């Protein structure tokens, strides 16, 4: 079956949010990052600044030399996270199959939900419009048959662009594509490919899989695929959690460890059920507990190298309680899960919604 994939990427994301919130920054070259005096670097810059050669990850001092009138503002991560959430909410109006790559970028698989009426292109247009209306920023979109081409396409007419590569145009589109556009081909690989006379995907098609492997190792297999416009990778909705936890707030404070044994037993069973449901057994890294005292202060205690045994929770709670030795309003038990290391911290949404159980018995 022919898939329909959309790749969405916000235009100069952090800079767009800053310009939206401060009209004085509009129409002038501006960037978001640390100050030159403090050896800062830029996270990104608007398109006016890009005309001067200013780029993401560039030291601010260097950017100021390229563009002396550049205005640099500090990042406000909470705003970008908030905007990112709204964006994902908009995507979720259309499909559940969303794979976020960063705060401002995601793949959507709309194969199942699109039809002759609601085409993938229409969905992309609707998303772009909703983002503009709700967030007052622009996103670029690419629509095609797989992740690779959708991603290249979203970059094609940036900023504020929509590029559709329909199935019957994939072959010609890819043939003419510069190898530098293939994700994974950085400056070094591109240079090496140029030395072998490989400039476009059409050039790469001339090479056998064997030769590509010999020169480029495992990546040679990817090159062989991409040069033909092939990419079988599924859009993987992010289900990666960082922790699983349960907690309980008491209607009447609990005085201390002597009183809470039966409560822990119940909570522990709930936690086990949640871990089971999340299929998170293999990923347990640490056990942790949370205590909220009757003065509303909160404390957490963690222990590495346990597989979340009930006795460990008793110990951790006793340890936490000693810190204040006051009546307790809330107890939480949880496990932190191993980060598989594959993702940068902003890549996946933090998903740690504790199961709150309101006490009806105490
Ligand atoms: P990008 O989507 O790579 O860049 P962008 O949205 O600023 O610009 P474009 O129009 O080309 O898509 O990254 C998204 C945000 O991530 C960006 O606004 C700032 C942040 N970022 C960094 O903090 N450091 C970096 O090196 C890069 C590339 C991005
Ligand atoms: Mg972007």
């Amino acid at each position: 079956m022919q898939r329909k994939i959309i790749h969405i990427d916000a235009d100069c994301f952090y800079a767009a949010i800053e310009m939206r919130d401060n009209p004085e920054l509009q129409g002038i070259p501006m960037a978001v990052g640390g100050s030159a005096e403090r050896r800062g670097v830029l996270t990104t810059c608007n398109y006016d600044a890009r005309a001067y050669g200013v780029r993401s990850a560039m030291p601010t001092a260097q950017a100021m030399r390229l563009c002396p009138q550049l205005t640099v503002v500090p990042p406000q991560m909470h705003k970008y996270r908030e905007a990112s959430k709204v964006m994902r909410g908009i995507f979720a109006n259309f499909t559940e199959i969303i794979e976020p790559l960063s705060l401002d970028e995601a793949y959507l698989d709309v194969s199942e939900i699109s039809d002759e009426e609601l085409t993938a292109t229409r969905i992309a247009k609707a998303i772009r419009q909703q983002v503009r209306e709700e967030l007052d920023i622009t996103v670029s979109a690419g629509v095609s048959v797989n992740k690779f081409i959708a991603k290249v396409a979203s970059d094609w007419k940036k900023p504020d662009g929509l590029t559709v590569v329909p199935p019957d145009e994939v072959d010609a589109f890819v043939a003419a594509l510069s190898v530098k556009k293939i994700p994974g081909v950085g400056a070094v690989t591109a240079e090496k490919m140029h030395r072998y006379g490989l400039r476009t995907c059409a050039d790469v098609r001339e090479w056998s899989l064997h030769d590509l492997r010999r020169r480029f190792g495992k990546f040679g297999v990817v090159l062989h695929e991409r040069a033909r416009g092939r990419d079988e990778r599924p859009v993987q909705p992010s289900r990666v959690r960082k922790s699983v936890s349960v907690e309980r707030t008491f209607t009447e404070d609990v005085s201390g460890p002597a009183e809470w044994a039966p409560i822990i037993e119940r909570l522990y069973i709930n936690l086990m059920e949640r871990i089971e449901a999340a299929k998170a057994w293999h990923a347990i890294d640490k056990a942790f507990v949370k205590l909220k005292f009757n003065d509303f202060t909160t404390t957490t205690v963690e222990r590495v190298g346990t597989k979340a045994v009930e006795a460990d929770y008793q110990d951790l709670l006793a340890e936490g309680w000693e810190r204040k030795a006051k009546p307790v309003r809330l107890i939480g038990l949880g496990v932190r899960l191993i980060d598989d290391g594959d993702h940068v911290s902003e890549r996946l949404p933090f998903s740690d919604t504790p199961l709150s159980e309101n006490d009806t018995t105490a």
Side-chain angles (χ1 to χ4, degrees):
M1 192 195 94
Q2 188 70 260
R3 290 188 296 156
K4 292 182 169 52
I5 311 297
I6 302 176
H7 180 258
I8 306 274
D9 189 328
D11 303 315
C12 62
F13 184 49
Y14 297 2
I17 299 289
E18 297 302 332
M19 288 191 285
R20 175 194 72 183
D21 294 349
N22 180 0
E24 285 180 12
L25 298 172
Q26 293 167 13
I28 59 164
M30 60 79 63
V32 179
S35 69
E37 297 78 49
R38 305 178 70 179
R39 294 165 180 272
V41 294
L42 302 182
T43 62
T44 192
C45 60
N46 67 2
Y47 280 76
D48 302 86
R50 291 183 198 194
Y52 293 83
V54 176
R55 293 287 179 268
S56 284
M58 186 178 270
T60 307
Q62 185 187 344
M64 298 298 297
R65 284 196 292 276
L66 290 170
C67 177
Q69 72 275 38
L70 184 71
T71 301
V72 181
V73 300
Q76 303 187 76
M77 287 310 299
H78 65 280
K79 283 193 178 184
Y80 317 143
R81 286 204 190 92
E82 181 56 37
S84 179
K85 245 198 234 166
V86 174
M87 270 172 61
R88 281 180 203 165
I90 292 169
F91 304 157
N93 289 336
F94 294 90
T95 178
E96 284 178 358
I97 313 177
I98 303 164
E99 180 182 1
L101 298 178
S102 68
L103 288 182
D104 83 323
E105 197 183 338
Y107 288 111
L108 279 61
D109 186 332
V110 297
S111 313
E112 295 291 332
I113 58 152
S114 56
D115 54 32
E116 270 148 47
E117 254 317 286
L118 186 70
T119 60
T121 304
R122 289 221 172 95
I123 295 170
K125 281 184 182 162
I127 288 172
R128 276 166 35 79
Q129 186 177 341
Q130 285 183 24
V131 172
R132 189 176 302 120
E133 285 169 6
E134 286 186 37
L135 284 169
D136 203 9
I137 63 168
T138 60
V139 297
S140 295
V143 182
S144 195
V145 298
N146 60 40
K147 283 179 163 185
F148 161 51
I149 302 170
K151 185 166 169 108
V152 173
S154 75
D155 203 44
W156 211 244
K157 293 187 213 139
K158 243 181 186 300
D160 201 13
L162 169 66
T163 303
V164 181
V165 184
D168 60 345
E169 288 173 26
V170 164
D171 194 64
F173 180 82
V174 175
L177 199 65
S178 159
V179 295
K180 284 191 269 185
K181 295 280 184 186
I182 302 174
V185 177
V188 177
T189 309
E191 178 56 36
K192 181 172 167 186
M193 292 181 81
H194 288 172
R195 280 206 305 277
Y196 289 117
L198 302 173
R199 297 195 167 267
T200 64
C201 286
D203 297 333
V204 179
R205 289 182 193 174
E206 302 288 316
W207 281 41
S208 68
L209 177 59
H210 178 81
D211 287 340
L212 284 168
R213 281 184 88 132
R214 196 156 55 99
R215 297 292 177 204
F216 301 97
K218 254 193 182 154
F219 191 60
V221 182
V222 177
L223 288 174
H224 189 264
E225 288 281 286
R226 300 295 179 267
R228 286 161 181 75
R230 293 181 198 146
D231 180 1
E232 296 298 322
R233 292 173 301 161
V235 175
Q236 287 178 308
S238 67
R239 293 262 181 268
V240 177
R241 314 170 56 109
K242 292 193 172 169
S243 64
V244 179
S245 63
V246 294
E247 59 183 36
R248 180 168 178 179
T249 306
F250 309 112
T251 46
E252 286 173 39
D253 298 341
V254 172
S255 65
E259 233 186 275
W260 66 42
I263 299 166
I264 305 311
E265 204 172 321
R266 266 281 304 286
L267 261 183
Y268 183 75
I269 291 166
N270 290 343
L271 177 66
M272 294 303 107
E273 287 166 354
R274 280 217 130 190
I275 293 173
E276 189 69 49
K279 298 193 176 36
W281 281 113
H282 62 285
I284 296 174
D285 185 27
K286 291 175 188 169
F288 73 91
V289 300
K290 177 167 137 189
L291 289 162
K292 193 188 271 180
F293 295 102
N294 67 349
D295 61 1
F296 287 88
T297 58
T298 301
T299 191
T300 58
V301 192
E302 296 193 346
R303 181 178 291 174
V304 196
T306 163
K307 277 288 167 193
V309 197
E310 196 175 353
D312 285 335
Y313 283 109
Q314 304 277 10
D315 291 350
L316 292 173
L317 283 168
E319 194 184 317
W321 186 75
E322 290 293 338
R323 291 176 183 169
K324 279 269 162 95
K326 283 188 171 167
V328 172
R329 298 206 65 217
L330 172 151
I331 286 179
L333 308 182
V335 288
R336 301 219 190 279
L337 306 179
I338 296 159
D339 191 348
D340 64 14
D342 220 353
H343 313 291
V344 288
S345 60
E346 296 301 351
R347 188 163 166 208
L348 293 156
F350 188 76
S351 162
D352 179 18
T353 328
L355 175 79
S356 269
E357 193 188 329
N358 288 316
D359 189 11
T360 47
T361 51

